[in-house]
Amino acid sequence: MTPFNRNFGQGRNTKAVRLDMNWKELTKAGNIYEPGNAATYETGDWRTIRPVWNKDRCIHCLICWRYCPDASIISTDGKFDSFDYKHCKGCGICASVCPVHAIDMFSEDEIDRREEARKNEE
Amino acid sequence: MATLKELAKVEERFVGGHRLCAGCGHGISVRMVLNAAEDANVVVGCATGCLEVASTIYPYTAWNCSFIHSAFENAGATIGGVEAAYKSLKKQGKLDKDFKFVAFGGDGGTYDIGFQSLSGAMERGHNIVYVCLDNEAYMNTGIQRSSATPMGADTTTSPAGKVVPGKQQPRKDLTAIMAAHNIPYAAQTAISNWQDVHRKAKKAFDVEGPAFINILSPCPRGWRYNTPDIVELVKAAVETRFWPMYEVENGKWKLNYKPKKYVPIEEFLKPQGRFRHLFAPGNEHMIKAIQEEIDNRWLALLERCGETPELPPK
Ligand SMILES: Cc1ncc(C[n+]2csc(CCOP(=O)(O)OP(=O)(O)O)c2C)c(N)n1
Ligand code: SF4
Ligand code: SF4
Ligand code: SF4
Ligand SMILES: [Mg+2]
């Protein structure tokens, strides 16, 4: 699995926060000056099951986009584009609400094992 | 009504990277509500609770818009104060952009500890939207009962044991209490019908004066159901009439959905671990009491909405 970014303060304008930081270096009142910078904090490795898209079945209704709690369905021009695997937590809701079963959930362990086996064969 | 194709083009105001549990209802509810503000400038406030704690872990914020912290008990006063300051700045000519103001609170932060703060803000008539994300217990501190917890639910402070089978009291009807403030708009909605959530949120943002929306926002941890089934579960809450969808606009009550047939409450209770004990022999009286409570409330609601007070056909 790709390593996930958990380093503090990786946002564009976010002052990096280090564990050895002096309190005087923190922003006043703990203010955060970059809206939505949580996007730079990756939660994808919470996932134990992974949603996989079946392009041929998808009718681009975007119901999955509507119901993802983690805004991890990326759409382009009103169509399903891809999963944001850096943030998707693998809750399985998208697969459950898809009216045409165009999303399947696979075990991350299984995906890793297959990936490993494929690499070993090469 | 805008289509999902159009709505998906609205800038995301609640981004991934927040630390809510996988499948948490709050993420869905918040995204739906904020999406309905379309291209407006929005200021969000939050009562302490899972949503606030998980979305603003320093130095990160999942809010892709202005956000203000408040304590557990004063989200109503905080967002009302921000709106009053905004009005003053506008009057003084120090600000020309337009803003909308919305506060989110959990059921603990809304039905219980934040109640007087909310009631005051509504009575003062601020131009705000207050959204209660009702997951029927104090989840962020480990599932304690609140006045929104349904009768029979097992929580850490209403534990189901040999003598007492879970919470003994029925829920408080907060939406009706908010309507009694005679505010321009009060509504109850459910994510199983996204069009209903969208329409109500849009209306709440559009009306002049205070608006209140109550959303059932399941917590897979506290309710103990199969996480992917969230929409099915909320659908069951609506079909069993446990969570009716209605709105009160300028004093006029309107029912938004009437189930076609009588669906017994077991359909909602059964998939959830917090009600498992109710299905043990000897606890039949609890399910009966819960059903009676629901039927009575339904009849009263129909009457208020000017509909014939009768139960759906079995
Ligand atoms: C005055 C005060 N008392 C207690 C707490 C501890 N506390 C933080 S969140 C919370 C529970 C929140 O429950 P709810 O409002 O239902 O939101 P949820 O987490 O369920 O979404 C409590 C008791 C606090 N922050 N402030
Ligand atoms: S819900 Fe299913 S069909 Fe609809 S856009 Fe998502 S994957 Fe495609
Ligand atoms: S599994 Fe859950 S978090 Fe991941 S894309 Fe689907 S709905 Fe979103
Ligand atoms: S405990 Fe419940 S309400 Fe809190 S983040 Fe987890 S699922 Fe959501
Ligand atoms: Mg709660």
Side-chain angles (χ1 to χ4, degrees):
Chain A
M1 200 193 252
T2 38
F4 283 86
N5 177 8
R6 284 289 171 67
N7 298 327
F8 284 116
Q10 296 289 321
R12 287 181 300 278
N13 308 313
T14 309
K15 228 164 112 182
V17 173
R18 310 178 313 272
L19 290 176
D20 63 348
M21 203 158 166
N22 183 311
W23 63 270
K24 286 180 192 158
E25 295 174 66
L26 299 175
T27 49
K28 231 178 230 174
N31 287 338
I32 303 168
Y33 295 97
E34 191 186 356
N37 67 351
T40 63
Y41 184 96
E42 297 175 2
T43 50
D45 61 353
W46 292 23
R47 199 169 54 237
T48 58
I49 47 173
R50 181 192 300 192
V52 175
W53 183 49
N54 185 326
K55 189 172 188 270
D56 299 331
R57 278 206 209 126
C58 179
I59 54 170
H60 299 281
C61 64
L62 294 184
I63 291 282
C64 54
W65 167 82
R66 178 91 287 188
Y67 284 100
C68 173
D70 290 272
S72 295
I73 308 277
I74 301 168
S75 73
T76 313
D77 294 330
K79 286 188 152 188
F80 183 108
D81 183 302
S82 52
F83 291 103
D84 170 5
Y85 287 124
K86 287 187 168 159
H87 295 102
C88 160
K89 293 172 186 158
C91 67
I93 293 173
C94 53
S96 160
V97 296
C98 175
V100 293
H101 306 287
I103 298 173
D104 292 306
M105 302 299 297
F106 291 99
S107 147
E108 286 283 350
D109 282 349
E110 189 58 34
I111 292 170
D112 281 355
R113 265 197 296 275
R114 282 189 202 171
E115 188 78 351
E116 200 99 319
R118 197 181 52 81
K119 270 193 199 140
N120 289 343
E121 259 172 43
E122 281 174 9
Chain B
M1 161 106 39
T3 61
L4 287 182
K5 282 191 193 319
E6 288 154 2
L7 295 174
K9 291 175 189 162
V10 175
E11 192 177 9
E12 189 64 55
R13 290 191 182 83
F14 188 68
V15 304
H18 62 71
R19 262 61 84 65
L20 290 167
C21 301
C24 176
H26 289 355
I28 302 173
S29 308
V30 166
R31 289 189 59 233
M32 279 188 189
V33 169
L34 292 182
N35 180 255
E38 295 181 356
D39 55 1
N41 296 305
V42 180
V43 179
V44 175
C46 241
T48 311
C50 277
L51 176 67
E52 200 234 19
V53 169
S55 63
T56 58
I57 299 173
Y58 191 77
Y60 295 108
T61 173
W63 302 93
N64 192 21
C65 54
S66 301
F67 178 88
I68 184 164
H69 269 284
S70 76
F72 190 20
E73 61 277 21
N74 62 347
T78 302
I79 204 72
V82 173
E83 185 263 358
Y86 161 77
K87 270 197 178 142
S88 168
L89 288 172
K90 275 243 155 174
K91 215 186 218 163
Q92 297 171 53
K94 291 182 179 166
L95 195 69
D96 37 56
K97 270 201 214 165
D98 292 330
F99 282 87
K100 296 197 188 280
F101 302 88
V102 55
F104 293 98
D107 51 295
T110 308
Y111 285 68
D112 294 346
I113 194 170
F115 182 67
Q116 62 144 335
S117 162
L118 171 62
S119 178
M122 293 281 139
E123 185 271 335
R124 287 190 299 275
H126 294 288
N127 191 13
I128 56 174
V129 180
Y130 189 102
V131 179
C132 176
L133 302 177
D134 188 352
N135 57 20
E136 310 194 312
Y138 294 69
M139 296 310 180
N140 190 60
T141 38
I143 322 170
Q144 290 85 27
R145 57 93 82 196
S146 75
S147 59
T149 304
M151 202 199 284
D154 174 36
T155 73
T156 52
T157 48
S158 63
K162 283 207 180 83
V163 182
V164 184
K167 193 190 172 199
Q168 291 300 287
Q169 304 81 2
R171 307 165 36 87
K172 188 194 273 179
D173 190 352
L174 185 70
T175 311
I177 297 169
M178 296 323 294
H181 284 66
N182 290 322
I183 51 177
Y185 192 64
Q188 188 160 293
T189 185
I191 55 165
S192 53
N193 186 332
W194 70 261
Q195 292 92 339
D196 191 77
V197 180
H198 182 83
R199 186 180 62 78
K200 286 173 177 167
K202 200 167 158 53
K203 181 160 261 176
F205 280 120
D206 286 347
V207 296
E208 195 51 42
F212 173 84
I213 299 180
N214 205 353
I215 305 186
L216 189 66
S217 201
C219 162
R221 280 283 297 111
W223 293 17
R224 288 177 274 138
Y225 60 92
N226 182 32
T227 303
D229 299 341
I230 189 165
V231 179
E232 283 304 306
L233 187 61
V234 174
K235 216 177 257 171
V238 175
E239 290 297 328
T240 56
R241 295 163 286 116
F242 171 86
W243 190 264
M245 300 197 297
Y246 64 93
E247 63 195 327
V248 187
E249 200 176 348
N250 295 315
K252 187 142 181 41
W253 288 65
K254 187 175 176 216
L255 189 70
N256 304 117
Y257 177 72
K258 216 171 176 177
K260 304 277 170 298
K261 59 178 206 295
Y262 189 99
V263 182
I265 189 59
E266 283 94 328
E267 299 272 315
F268 176 63
L269 305 178
K270 200 98 196 220
Q272 304 181 58
R274 62 177 173 155
F275 297 117
R276 186 169 300 141
H277 58 285
L278 297 180
F279 294 90
N283 282 338
E284 295 81 1
H285 68 285
M286 281 297 289
I287 296 187
K288 196 161 164 267
I290 294 167
Q291 186 69 69
E292 260 171 36
E293 171 76 25
I294 286 171
D295 289 350
N296 289 337
R297 285 193 186 200
W298 178 252
L299 295 174
L301 176 65
L302 286 174
E303 205 151 351
R304 269 177 163 160
C305 295
E307 308 250 350
T308 321
E310 57 190 8
L311 296 174
K314 293 209 185 189

